[in-house]
Amino acid sequence: MWELFLIKIFMENISFVSFVTAAKYIGAGVAVSGVIGAGAGIGIIFAGYMLAYARNPYLQNALLRYLFLGFALTEAMGLLAIMMAFLILNS
């Protein structure tokens, strides 16, 4: 009788662990979806740079500074999304 009780507790724990593991994978997948926004943002930044450069080529140096600043900040958001996914998986 006692052994059946221990087996029941063990089986409940296995299902709980598998549920937590599945939730971690789902959470990591949702966290990585932030990289989509970073990719779209980088595309918009470079498209805006090309449009501005085509309109006024004399401002190339000033525009290039803003381009790199926008690229770095947008890429940082994508890297933070990936970091959050790894933190979710390894917690």
Side-chain angles (χ1 to χ4, degrees):
M1 185 71 174
W2 182 253
E3 294 82 16
L4 292 175
F5 179 72
L6 290 177
I7 290 172
K8 182 179 179 188
I9 292 174
F10 181 72
M11 294 302 282
E12 288 176 359
N13 287 339
I14 288 176
S15 64
F16 178 74
V17 169
S18 64
F19 178 72
V20 171
T21 304
K24 283 183 181 182
Y25 287 136
I26 292 170
V30 170
V32 171
S33 67
V35 177
I36 297 170
I42 290 170
I44 291 169
I45 288 170
F46 278 100
Y49 170 73
M50 289 192 304
L51 182 64
Y53 180 69
R55 287 184 178 191
N56 194 353
Y58 297 109
L59 292 176
Q60 180 185 9
N61 291 332
L63 292 173
L64 202 59
R65 289 184 202 138
Y66 290 123
L67 171 76
F68 288 137
L69 178 66
F71 173 75
L73 293 175
T74 307
E75 187 68 24
M77 290 297 115
L79 292 175
L80 287 174
I82 293 173
M83 182 189 69
M84 287 305 297
F86 284 131
L87 285 174
I88 289 170
L89 285 177
N90 294 323
S91 65

